[in-house]
Every structure is written in C-alpha cells, then in structure tokens.
Amino acid sequence: SIAILLYLAQKFKTPDHWYPSDLQKRARVDEYLSWQHTNVRAKGSKFFLTKVLLPLILGQTLPPEKLEGVTEELNIVLKQFEEKFLQDKPFIIGNEISLADLVAVVELMQPVSAGYDLFEERPKLAEWRRRVEDALGKQLFQEAHEGILKAKSF
C-alpha cells in the first residue's frame, strides 16, 4: 500500500531520496503515486488477469481480441509514463531513485511475468529499469520479483 510505504519511509527516516524532504521533489513522488493506481497498476494488473489468471481459472485462454484491447490500454499508459514522468531523466524525480520508481517497476513487472516484455521495444523504459535494478542491487531486484516471474508456470 502506498500509505504504508510513506509511513515507513518517514517513521524509519529512510535516506532522503526515497521520499524527499524537498517539497518539489516530494510533490513529483506524490504526483506519480497518485496517478499510478488508476493507470500503470490498473492496466498492468488487467493484462496479468487477462493473460494469466482468467485462463487459469476458466481453463481456457481468452479470445485474442480481448488481449489485444488490454495490451493497447497498457501501451497507452506506458507512453504516458515515459512522456510525463520519465521524460529525459534517469529516474522519475531526477537523478536519484525514489519510492515512485520502486512502485513503478514493481507494477511493470506484473505484465512482464505474464509474458509481455514491455521493455523490449522501449529503450527509454528499458534503460530506466536497468538503472532502478542497479540502484536496488540486481540480486535484491531478482529476489523481489521471483514469485511474480514464476506466475505463468502455475
């Protein structure tokens, strides 16, 4: 939950880059966190649901046109994410990773786990992901996503 992340960042006085004390940077984090739940999270989860969970529950894949529509919705949100939030910056708020990047990458890994490599044809997004992974540490990044990346094999 976003509320819990913000609480933990403040309670345990995490390094400032996670949830900056600078009001302009904090506003950028808050802006993304307010936007993402009805955009990246909603469309990424819908893709995962359509591609993985519903076929698992129903015992059959859904019609291709259903997945195409869901994929197009996700692609629109990914374009907005790149243009509005990433722009030409290394991370969402600038030169340092923040909670906004952490939340974003976690949500984007859900469609990846469903077999849609959304980073493949988006070099800006792929570079951002690489920077996030490097900032967190590759091993921690892989451990954090281990469960979701195995979702298709259930």
Side-chain angles (χ1 to χ4, degrees), residues 140-151:
L140 179 60
F141 187 89
Q142 291 303 317
E143 284 177 30
H145 295 99
E146 188 177 352
I148 192 71
L149 290 173
K150 292 180 180 177

Side-chain angles (χ1 to χ4, degrees), residues 28-58:
R28 292 291 293 167
V29 172
D30 290 340
E31 177 185 30
Y32 178 76
L33 295 177
S34 294
W35 177 83
Q36 66 87 31
H37 70 278
T38 57
N39 291 282
V40 173
R41 176 178 290 164
K43 305 309 182 205
S45 295
K46 187 174 181 182
F47 183 90
F48 183 79
L49 178 71
T50 304
K51 178 81 184 233
V52 177
L53 291 182
L54 285 176
L56 186 63
I57 293 166
L58 300 173

Side-chain angles (χ1 to χ4, degrees), residues 78-103:
L78 293 173
K79 186 173 192 256
Q80 291 171 340
F81 175 67
E82 286 183 311
E83 291 175 356
K84 170 78 173 140
F85 293 99
L86 284 183
Q87 300 168 345
D88 292 321
K89 302 173 296 201
F91 297 101
I92 292 173
I93 65 166
N95 292 324
E96 292 185 293
I97 192 170
S98 71
L99 286 177
D101 298 286
L102 186 62
V103 170

Side-chain angles (χ1 to χ4, degrees), residues 66-120:
K66 177 78 171 165
L67 188 58
E68 287 172 20
V70 171
T71 304
E72 183 55 34
E73 290 176 5
L74 178 57
N75 286 333
I76 290 167
V77 165
L78 293 173
K79 186 173 192 256
Q80 291 171 340
F81 175 67
E82 286 183 311
E83 291 175 356
K84 170 78 173 140
F85 293 99
L86 284 183
Q87 300 168 345
D88 292 321
K89 302 173 296 201
F91 297 101
I92 292 173
I93 65 166
N95 292 324
E96 292 185 293
I97 192 170
S98 71
L99 286 177
D101 298 286
L102 186 62
V103 170
V105 80
V106 167
E107 296 296 346
L108 293 178
M109 292 305 289
Q110 202 171 63
V112 169
S113 73
Y116 180 42
D117 187 355
L118 50 87
F119 301 105
E120 187 176 5

Side-chain angles (χ1 to χ4, degrees), residues 6-24:
L6 298 180
Y7 169 79
L8 292 172
Q10 293 174 78
K11 177 176 171 91
F12 295 105
K13 298 180 181 14
T14 59
D16 194 65
H17 64 88
W18 289 112
Y19 195 55
S21 55
D22 175 274
L23 290 179
Q24 286 185 319

